[in-house]
Amino acid sequence: MGVGVTPGLLGGVALVVALILSVLGLVLATLAYTLRDGRYLEAAKRLSALSLLAAVVSFGALEWAILTNDFSVSYVANHSSANNPLWVKLVTPWAALEGSILLWAMLQTVYTWLVSLRAGHSLDVWRAPVALGTLFAVQVFFFAVMVFVAHPFDAVPNPPPDGRGTNPLLQNHWMMAVHPVLMYLGFVGLSVPFAYAVAAMEARRYQSWIFETRWWTLVAWGFLTAAIFTGKWWSYEILGWGGYWAWDPVENASIIPWLLATAFLHTAQVQERKGLFKGWNFAFVTLAFAATVFGTFLTRSGVIQSVHAFASGPVGAWFLLFLLGVMAVGLGLLARVSSEIREAGEVRWNSREGALLAGALFFGTFAFVVVLGTLWPLVVELVSGAKVSVGAPFFNQVSIPLGVFMLLLMGVGPVLPWRNSSAQVLRNLMAMLIALGVGTLLGLLLGLSVGVSLAIGLFAYNLTAIWLMVAQGVRERARALGISPAQALVELAGSHKRRFGSHIVHFGVALAALTIAFSQTYRVTEQKTLQVGEIWQTRGLEVRLLPLEVREEPNRFAAIAPIEVRSTSREGWGADGRYQARLNFYPQMGSPLATPVVKYSLYNDYYFVLMQFDQEKGQWATIKIIVTPMVWWLWVAGLIIVLGTLYILWPSGARATSRQMSPMAGD
Amino acid sequence: MKPKYMVGLAVVGVALAYLIFGGLGQNLVYFITPSEYFQQAERYQNRAVRLGGLVKEGSLSYNPQTLELRFVVTDGVKEIPIRSSGTTPPALFGENRGVVVEGRFEGETFVSQNLLVKHSETYQAPKEGWTPEQVRKLIEETQ
């Protein structure tokens, strides 16, 4: 065939088509809103399905180009290699800037399409055109960025025989297939609550948006939570320093929208029940979406030094403009309607709504502090010209007191009744405070540090709170209906899914806080140079170095230090086994990548890193061992939080929707 | 709003501001090159600094017994000796490559606590006769 369809051609055309469809969708949605004509809305809904199709074709074309090693496509030539294993090729679309924007845009079209299915149903005809128009506008931005500044399908005039390869750090662990996708699902998901908020403010319908928006936010929040935990795990397993969180700007970029979405999930409940906090809700939703754009701007523009370097380029300016646009639309509308949504009543701090607001304000403050710490280097550079970065100790200092307050509130909030407190509540609070005291004392008696003891106390305190609430409900129901407590528990868990789901999530958060306190306080590091065959006794471990190996693999070669580990005392319990700490050498990288091996056990984690080896004779290797308690439980906590979120979201039939509308929803 | 709430809010606000701005001031890490260090050597003593430069050719030595790694970081004009004891995999260092080390000055020697991992996907080697500004730009871009 003379003129065949190449992946580059197909992908490029599909991108332009997607851009045109998004512009048309925006125009039609605007017409539907201004002319109040449902036919335009129907057409816009159809366009959202078509733009989804175009985006999927474009993304598929990129996969096609990568899988067939088509190095005439610039993205493939720059970021892929014929030698990459299949799974690396499949995930290469989001290994660099242009492809990750394409993934982002494609997910955006999915969310827009899902929203279009609600239009005319739960999303009424006054709000639907505005919500869809907002989402089309977001789509226009992403497709325009690709078509005009970050084109994944640029043609390479003289295609090289092989590409430059994929960033080694990204192909060194299978988490690359999971974490970025979850993160984008979360980031993009926050565009829907923003669109709903814009629609509610524009159509002046301040109450009806909250039910479904809470649901959408929870979906995005669940993805973000999963993304943050998998990111921690990834960085723990791959970076070789034994930690999982370093307050790097890229990590901050993921936590800021998470904090703001969390704030919204709490105040939204008050609006659902009592119609209060409308202004806060509009603000939190706007800021949460703006924070996703802000994070992308930070990490893609090169304004902030980060260890996660993404190539800096012209996209930074585009994202900054988009960020300003999002903030201007959201906050501008909020300013316009602020006089109409003024609160009717006053909030008591010692009620459920008071605690929820206080919690949300803490989350908001936390987000503000993280933004400030992340941007502070820019301020210093503008003022004094010095290049600085804000160290992790700053964030730790601030987040510890904020975290303690949040954990306290997390226990109290759900126990407090709406409006006013009563005698029963005081008894519950007393029990929780006793648990806090006993837990802390127990920690101190065991010789643990003050911080860790407090963490144990707070864990006991939250556990007590959840126990009291569940037990009280079960007891009342079992007595009233004359059924067994077990049956009452099952029935309650089925009929009060939001309530029980939030207990599960809160339990996960309390567990995560406990594991963070333990692992940050009691991490120990040992290292030594061992001769082959030498045995090293340390920390209850007996470590023997076996002969070094060098292994050729298609995309890299590896120096491997096999070690045999036996535990000799309780301190080293669970460490037994044979491990291969390695240094991976990638041709596109001048220096090797240390790849640690991690052995998890129920208490301690054993982390083995190959630091250096005898490159001439292979007679010695320097091994570092990091022993950290309870890290395994941090991953369990993350899983519990995600499962709790799923439990809340799991559809329970048509009854659930009608119940959500009633004032006693989900208690 | 009731006065007692105002007082409470003010207390919380002041505590937060103290926590934030006090913390920011103490935890700034300066990012400098060897030439910049020698312009204001006093200023950078005994505080956390990130030093960027190139590992000088032939300066890298690792003692497997003491786990001590020594090398010299240069920006083409000035040089600073670095001592790092077992905090970063020595294998990750290469001669003539850009590095950013985090640590403190102890006298004329820089004691490194951490090598910043670079997630960069492209690396360009500096060329002969580059000015410190060019080297600095390169290091920042590779970071």
Side-chain angles (χ1 to χ4, degrees):
Chain A
M1 256 187 3
V3 189
V5 177
T6 62
L9 182 66
L10 178 66
V13 169
L15 274 188
V16 175
V17 170
L19 175 60
I20 294 172
L21 290 173
S22 306
V23 172
L24 280 179
L26 177 57
V27 170
L28 286 173
T30 314
L31 286 176
Y33 182 69
T34 49
L35 303 179
R36 304 270 173 218
D37 190 333
R39 283 172 301 174
Y40 291 113
L41 181 61
E42 285 306 312
K45 285 167 69 172
R46 250 170 247 141
L47 278 185
S48 79
L50 289 175
S51 68
L52 165 63
L53 194 67
V56 170
V57 167
S58 186
F59 189 82
L62 187 57
E63 288 279 14
W64 177 19
I66 293 167
L67 288 173
T68 55
N69 301 317
D70 183 347
F71 299 115
S72 67
V73 173
S74 63
Y75 187 86
V76 187
N78 288 331
H79 306 293
S80 187
S81 163
N83 296 325
N84 281 352
L86 178 65
W87 80 267
V88 172
K89 286 184 182 174
L90 284 172
V91 305
T92 300
W94 52 90
L97 176 75
E98 295 87 352
S100 63
I101 294 182
L102 179 52
L103 175 66
W104 189 315
M106 182 178 74
L107 296 176
Q108 185 68 59
T109 61
V110 173
Y111 276 107
T112 308
W113 176 68
L114 288 174
V115 169
S116 79
L117 298 181
R118 318 291 294 174
H121 305 286
S122 60
L123 186 59
D124 59 55
V125 290
W126 293 274
R127 291 183 293 132
V130 186
L132 274 183
T134 310
L135 291 171
F136 275 123
V138 175
Q139 270 179 224
V140 169
F141 167 76
F142 280 103
F143 286 113
V145 163
M146 276 185 286
V147 169
F148 297 114
V149 284
H151 203 294
F153 299 99
D154 269 341
V156 180
N158 296 306
D162 193 5
R164 284 203 228 156
T166 311
N167 183 350
L169 267 167
L170 302 182
Q171 49 169 308
N172 216 13
H173 197 280
W174 58 269
M175 217 8 128
M176 177 63 193
V178 181
H179 163 76
V181 179
L182 290 173
M183 190 61 88
Y184 289 127
L185 279 169
F187 272 21
V188 180
L190 285 175
S191 67
V192 179
F194 173 68
Y196 273 66
V198 168
M201 288 189 279
E202 178 57 39
R204 294 191 143 80
R205 297 177 163 258
Y206 306 125
Q207 186 60 19
S208 51
W209 72 295
I210 200 78
F211 308 105
E212 210 166 289
T213 306
R214 200 188 54 82
W215 189 88
W216 282 110
T217 311
L218 196 57
V219 171
W221 186 89
F223 282 125
L224 270 184
T225 309
I228 290 169
F229 273 95
T230 52
K232 285 181 183 186
W233 186 29
W234 189 5
S235 107
Y236 182 69
E237 294 235 326
I238 207 70
L239 291 182
W241 58 286
Y244 43 77
W245 192 263
W247 296 106
D248 180 82
V250 171
E251 294 167 351
N252 297 350
S254 72
I255 198 87
I256 297 165
W258 185 87
L259 287 167
L260 292 163
T262 313
F264 169 75
L265 287 174
H266 288 88
T267 48
Q269 297 182 39
V270 183
Q271 186 177 344
E272 262 182 71
R273 271 161 193 281
K274 317 202 130 232
L276 293 174
F277 304 156
K278 295 190 181 82
W280 285 112
N281 286 331
F282 286 130
F284 282 137
V285 163
T286 301
L287 293 176
F289 180 56
T292 66
V293 184
F294 171 73
T296 315
F297 161 68
L298 273 190
T299 52
R300 309 281 163 167
S301 64
V303 280
I304 297 283
Q305 305 269 328
S306 158
V307 293
H308 299 58
F310 294 100
S312 53
V315 287
W318 284 62
F319 272 95
L320 184 60
L321 280 178
F322 185 52
L323 170 65
L324 295 177
V326 169
M327 300 274 278
V329 168
L331 300 182
L333 279 172
L334 182 55
R336 201 182 78 182
V337 303
S338 62
S339 60
E340 296 175 24
I341 55 174
R342 207 161 280 154
E343 311 293 16
E346 197 176 293
V347 181
R348 287 170 188 280
W349 291 104
N350 57 351
S351 65
R352 175 90 59 87
E353 55 267 40
L356 285 166
L357 180 61
L361 291 180
F362 264 110
F363 283 113
T365 310
F366 203 164
F368 172 74
V369 171
V370 178
V371 171
L372 195 71
T374 312
L375 286 183
W376 198 249
L378 277 187
V379 176
V380 173
E381 192 174 346
L382 285 177
V383 173
S384 70
K387 288 258 184 191
V388 298
S389 56
V390 174
F394 163 72
F395 293 101
N396 291 338
Q397 270 172 28
V398 181
S399 57
I400 289 168
L402 282 174
V404 169
F405 272 111
M406 276 182 208
L407 288 170
L408 283 171
L409 268 176
M410 190 172 90
V412 167
V415 171
L416 287 176
W418 300 92
R419 267 181 219 295
N420 240 331
S421 30
S422 65
Q424 169 71 34
V425 172
L426 284 179
R427 273 202 300 281
N428 286 350
L429 286 182
M430 196 50 83
M432 288 157 62
L433 285 178
I434 291 171
L436 176 63
V438 170
T440 311
L441 263 178
L442 192 72
L444 290 173
L445 287 177
L446 285 172
L448 298 170
S449 77
V450 179
V452 172
S453 304
L454 183 61
I456 296 177
L458 283 166
F459 183 67
Y461 160 92
N462 272 295
L463 222 54
T464 312
I466 294 170
W467 168 258
L468 286 172
M469 284 179 283
V470 172
Q472 196 177 325
V474 166
R475 216 171 26 240
E476 280 166 12
R477 190 176 179 90
R479 197 180 304 148
L481 299 181
I483 52 179
S484 73
Q487 195 185 349
L489 175 67
V490 171
E491 284 179 16
L492 276 175
S495 61
H496 294 68
K497 282 176 46 197
R498 273 174 62 182
R499 183 88 176 167
F500 271 74
S502 77
H503 288 332
I504 298 173
V505 170
H506 282 178
F507 172 73
V509 172
L511 179 62
L514 184 70
T515 64
I516 290 170
F518 264 93
S519 57
Q520 295 292 82
T521 313
Y522 294 117
R523 173 186 305 150
V524 288
T525 305
E526 297 285 348
Q527 56 183 342
K528 190 173 182 340
T529 300
L530 296 175
Q531 300 293 320
V532 170
E534 188 181 342
I535 290 176
W536 172 28
Q537 304 264 5
T538 180
R539 302 266 163 202
L541 303 174
E542 197 179 87
V543 181
R544 198 158 81 102
L545 181 66
L546 303 175
L548 305 182
E549 295 166 19
V550 173
R551 194 175 299 163
E552 288 272 2
E553 289 167 359
N555 52 337
R556 62 188 182 192
F557 83 90
I560 298 173
I563 46 176
E564 210 171 60
V565 179
R566 270 183 354 101
S567 68
T568 52
S569 77
R570 251 181 58 193
E571 199 187 352
W573 185 80
D576 302 70
R578 233 172 178 228
Y579 308 103
Q580 297 192 323
R582 34 196 302 167
L583 284 165
N584 287 334
F585 294 77
Y586 288 87
Q588 62 268 42
M589 220 178 171
S591 58
L593 212 55
T595 309
V597 222
V598 191
K599 162 75 179 175
Y600 292 102
S601 80
L602 288 182
Y603 185 64
N604 274 335
D605 259 26
Y606 306 91
Y607 197 99
F608 305 98
V609 194
L610 172 57
M611 302 286 282
Q612 180 62 298
F613 62 99
D614 179 0
Q615 295 176 351
E616 280 134 38
K617 296 181 196 139
Q619 286 173 345
W620 55 262
T622 308
I623 305 284
K624 174 151 91 177
I625 301 179
I626 305 174
V627 183
T628 321
M630 286 191 81
V631 182
W632 191 77
W633 291 99
L634 182 59
W635 317 138
V636 172
L639 189 66
I640 291 175
I641 297 174
V642 173
L643 288 179
T645 312
L646 265 179
Y647 186 78
I648 301 175
L649 290 171
W650 203 261
S652 56
R655 284 184 308 124
T657 342
S658 61
R659 199 172 49 237
Q660 273 181 14
M661 311 297 275
S662 79
M664 289 310 291
D667 197 344
Chain B
M1 203 184 274
K2 287 180 189 162
K4 66 175 181 182
Y5 287 148
M6 299 289 272
V7 173
L9 274 181
V11 169
V12 172
V14 167
L16 260 176
Y18 172 76
L19 204 65
I20 293 168
F21 291 100
L24 275 174
Q26 286 162 19
N27 289 299
L28 285 187
V29 184
Y30 282 85
F31 180 83
I32 54 171
T33 60
S35 297
E36 286 165 340
Y37 167 71
F38 284 107
Q39 284 161 18
Q40 280 181 300
E42 277 306 303
R43 182 178 172 188
Y44 301 115
Q45 292 297 328
N46 280 320
R47 63 173 305 156
V49 171
R50 283 182 185 177
L51 184 69
L54 305 169
V55 178
K56 194 185 175 191
E57 213 167 333
S59 72
L60 200 58
S61 75
Y62 176 62
N63 181 337
Q65 291 322 309
T66 59
L67 307 176
E68 197 172 79
L69 180 74
R70 286 172 179 273
F71 56 99
V72 172
V73 160
T74 170
D75 59 7
V77 177
K78 298 281 186 181
E79 297 179 348
I80 291 174
I82 312 280
R83 186 157 54 84
S84 158
S85 36
T87 42
T88 43
L92 298 194
F93 287 84
E95 293 186 343
N96 236 339
R97 293 184 51 83
V99 285
V100 177
V101 282
E102 196 169 65
R104 284 164 195 278
F105 280 97
E106 282 179 14
E108 287 302 288
T109 307
F110 186 80
V111 180
S112 155
Q113 274 125 30
N114 194 11
L115 163 80
L116 297 186
V117 184
K118 289 186 201 156
H119 299 214
S120 167
E121 49 200 278
T122 50
Y123 177 74
Q124 186 199 357
K127 295 176 184 69
E128 280 295 314
W130 277 31
T131 63
E133 282 70 38
Q134 284 171 311
V135 173
R136 170 167 197 149
K137 196 157 180 294
L138 174 72
I139 295 161
E140 282 171 12
E141 277 169 3
T142 2
Q143 221 196 110

